[in-house]
Amino acid sequence: MSNADHHLVAGAEGHQPSLAHHFSSHRQQYEAGKLGMWLFLLTEVLLFGGLFCAYAVFRANRPEIFIWAHQFLDKQLGALNTAVLITSSFTMALAVRCAQWDQRRLSAFFLTLTLVCACVFLGVKYVEYKHKWEEGLLWVRQFQPAEAAASLDESGTSDQQPRHAGIFFSIYFAMTGLHAVHVLAGMGAIGWVLVRTLRGHFNRQYFGPVDYVGLYWHLVDLIWIYLFPLFYLIH
Amino acid sequence: MTESLPINYLTYPRGLRCWLLTLDHKRIGVMYLVSVAAALVLGLLFALLMRTELIAPGRTIMGEDTYNRVFTVHGAVMIFLVVIPGIPAVLGNFFLPLMLGAKDVAFPRLNLASLYLWWIGALFLLLTLAFGGLDTGWTFYTPYSTSTNTNVLAAVTGVFILGFSSIFTALNFIVSIHTLRPPGMTWRRMPLFLWGLYATGLIQVLATPVLGITLLLLAIERILGLGIFDSTLGGDPVLFQHFFWFYAHPAVYIVILPGMGIISEVIPVFSRKPIFGYRFIAYSSVAIALIGFLVWGHHMFVAGQSVLASTIFSALTFLVAIPSAVKVFNWLATMYKGSIELAAPMIYALIFLFLFGIGGLTGLFLGTLSVNVPLHNTHFVVAHFHYVIIGGAVIAFLAGLHYWWPKMFGRMYNQTWARISALLIFVAFNMTFFPLFIMGARGLVRRYYDYSAFLGTNPEFTLYNQLATIGGYLLVTGLVSMATCLISSLWTGRPAPANPWNAPGLEWQCSSPPPPENPPPPAQVGDPYDFSQLAVPATL
């Protein structure tokens, strides 16, 4: 759409409360918001990028730590959480589609489903963290895995504990912790568009916020899809 | 025109509340101007304390602990509160929408949020001063920053918040440039200041989050003992340096690129000639932004980096000099055979060319591996980056401020006074920082409060330090004179016409100061550097 068209459309849409005064059409407003969201996602990628880089450095320098320590992570719970998050991305995509088609109640339903999945994810994460806390499998300064390590040694499935093995859990907690914070933030954002959906703020012309929150949620999902094999599925 | 100005963004609507809750980019720009200026005063104060300590060998007014804190606060305030936000948040905010003929930036509320985040970040830095101080240097290098008793957490929190402020401004500018350009303003007919802001925005969006995660890890390291940067726990302190400079070197281009944009606006107007090599200047901004991401390792030549890595970083560092030089040659070619008018903004632009030339070329000395080893961590480095940051960015900021002041506040300032202030700043700046090149090349290490130990082999260091200190006092005098000239114009200056310099840019077409609501763009926007229809300004 050319800029001249924007000005033409402006007359028709001039009094709508969902169109900010400095945009000349809903389309221009939507595109601005979408580009803004993509740029924000770029900053998120670089924020996590630092941690992925730290992971790569430590894993390349001390592979034995990663091979030894990853055995303490529960692959089944990790896989369950991966499935839950992928499902939530699907329901989120459906919610966005429904919002675009003006199906408010259905959109609200899928947003609620997405929230439920997010809660399940955090619940499973809580179980995992609690277990690690009880076993002393914490970041390097608090790393005291006496019993867990002993049981591992007795079963004969592993080598001796490498030096500074706790650095694995430092990175594990930093990455999954930051990811969990993003899940919480995503839940807040989904709750916000859910309330707005129920209040009837969105329609065929104006559904941007649902779309943007959807993009954010997919990124949160995507980051987990990388975290799962990098921590749980090491050979 | 009578003395009472017509309704404008400064006078309508009235009241503190209307200012604090405004979504108008012009008011946000003015509030940023006042805030950044206040931070600049604070930073200058600490600079003067440092220079005073160095006026004589031995302890003069403070000991080593105090000196460490003073240079840290000077660096942190000047970098994070002044030069990084400086040009984009003040002049960019004010003029980007006007140059686009837009009613506002794409996300006005985000814009106001960025100002509030700046204030909150600044508050944290001030809290650091009040509670425990900070003595790590502005770079927060581990392992010292994880073990010192000074208030690293408050400072890191402040810088983290300032990072969000910076990202919000950048995100706003990039989206505005993409979506709000008026009919006829293609990418190749966009004012070069906007190209500068666009390239700056790219760096801010891509680099700042890495600083964020670095500082977050540092904070968790201090609170919980995460160990990622702690070699005694299997971590890696050099990783901190890599992370830090991955942000902080591109940050140098965050500082300088918008300044280069200003110079590209000022030089054609006061040479009465279209800009020479428009596309080269525009694309070189983006080239600087991209190559600037690949040179961070040149800060770590002596930090145990491999020879191969250092060699590659050195070569890339030379590469980034090329687009910078492209700009300088195009500015010179723009002036060639132009009818040059030495108004205050143009004088600042010429000062920029001279000082940035020295700053840029000495950067090549430091990028050379063998030369870097003896120069690393000496006053040569201090002189180099002050020539780039003050001589480049701050002088460009002053050029822009003098160029756009009549538009921002609707008053003409006294040209003679402004020119004399500019010359004083120029002379005093060189007097302050040129001796540092010489002392650094002769081995004077930076960040020491006392240089007695060097006097045996280099007795001339006392004289050079005295020159630098007196130059520092004169530099501040020049800045005070410059500011007084501008501020007094608000009461005594004659009202500014809409286009005092007869410049072709869109921002000059509305009244001065602009009305509360920006005027719509013309039906078709022309070439921003077309002087054929404009007379030489007679207002000087």
Side-chain angles (χ1 to χ4, degrees), chain A residues 9-16 19:
Chain A
V9 181
E13 297 180 327
H15 297 291
Q16 294 187 23
L19 182 66

Side-chain angles (χ1 to χ4, degrees), chain B residues 146-160:
Chain B
T146 51
S147 57
T148 173
N149 290 323
T150 54
N151 204 339
V152 176
L153 273 185
V156 161
T157 311
V159 174
F160 187 83

Side-chain angles (χ1 to χ4, degrees), chain B residues 417-499:
Chain B
W417 186 358
R419 287 170 178 152
I420 292 172
S421 306
L423 286 180
L424 178 56
I425 289 172
F426 175 66
V427 172
F429 174 85
N430 283 298
M431 191 173 157
T432 312
F433 291 102
F434 205 82
L436 267 52
F437 275 130
I438 302 170
M439 287 191 287
R442 294 180 186 176
L444 181 59
V445 178
R446 71 178 178 142
R447 292 182 165 179
Y448 283 15
Y449 83 113
D450 175 21
Y451 45 92
S452 316
F454 296 89
L455 292 177
T457 45
N458 297 87
E460 74 280 13
F461 281 2
T462 308
L463 175 66
Y464 287 150
N465 266 308
Q466 282 162 352
L467 272 177
T469 301
I470 294 165
Y473 295 148
L474 286 175
L475 181 55
V476 171
T477 311
L479 289 170
V480 168
S481 165
M482 176 277 302
T484 315
C485 167
L486 287 180
I487 293 169
S488 67
S489 79
L490 296 178
W491 290 274
T492 62
R494 63 194 161 81
N499 191 354

Side-chain angles (χ1 to χ4, degrees), chain B residues 369-392:
Chain B
L369 284 176
S370 54
V371 182
N372 180 278
V373 174
L375 289 183
H376 186 88
N377 218 22
T378 65
H379 271 76
F380 192 92
V381 178
V382 178
H384 157 68
F385 69 73
H386 281 86
Y387 265 82
V388 175
I389 292 179
I390 301 183

Side-chain angles (χ1 to χ4, degrees), chain B residues 222-378:
Chain B
R222 272 186 79 91
I223 300 170
L224 297 175
L226 192 68
I228 288 186
F229 299 134
D230 186 344
S231 58
T232 60
L233 296 173
D236 186 353
V238 179
L239 188 66
F240 177 90
Q241 297 185 25
H242 277 289
F243 280 178
F244 183 83
W245 289 113
F246 185 84
Y247 164 78
H249 193 78
V252 175
Y253 303 108
I254 295 177
V255 172
I256 195 72
L257 276 171
M260 292 168 153
I262 290 173
I263 300 303
S264 307
E265 296 296 321
V266 168
I267 284 184
V269 169
F270 295 97
S271 306
R272 311 309 300 172
K273 265 183 70 191
I275 190 86
F276 185 90
Y278 173 91
R279 269 183 290 164
F280 280 91
I281 296 185
Y283 299 157
S284 63
S285 292
V286 180
I288 290 174
L290 297 181
I291 304 172
F293 270 104
L294 307 174
V295 303
W296 80 89
H298 68 214
H299 294 268
M300 301 160 61
F301 284 158
V302 297
Q305 189 171 246
S306 79
V307 176
L308 177 66
S310 290
T311 310
I312 292 169
F313 279 124
S314 173
L316 288 166
T317 303
F318 289 133
L319 205 60
V320 84
I322 295 172
S324 311
V326 163
K327 283 180 190 290
V328 172
F329 291 127
N330 279 302
W331 292 323
L332 294 177
T334 305
M335 288 193 287
Y336 180 65
K337 288 190 175 174
S339 50
I340 291 172
E341 182 72 57
L342 287 178
M346 186 62 172
I347 292 183
Y348 279 109
L350 295 177
I351 295 175
F352 172 95
L353 287 179
F354 188 87
L355 298 183
F356 177 72
I358 295 178
L361 289 172
T362 49
L364 293 178
F365 296 23
L366 291 168
T368 311
L369 284 176
S370 54
V371 182
N372 180 278
V373 174
L375 289 183
H376 186 88
N377 218 22
T378 65

Side-chain angles (χ1 to χ4, degrees), chain A residues 22 28 43 50 139-141 164 170, chain B residues 105-106 179 209 224-226 232 243:
Chain A
H22 58 291
Q28 190 189 29
T43 68
W139 53 92
V140 65
R141 170 128 332 138
H164 299 314
S170 290
Chain B
V105 291
T179 57
L224 297 175
L226 192 68
T232 60
F243 280 178

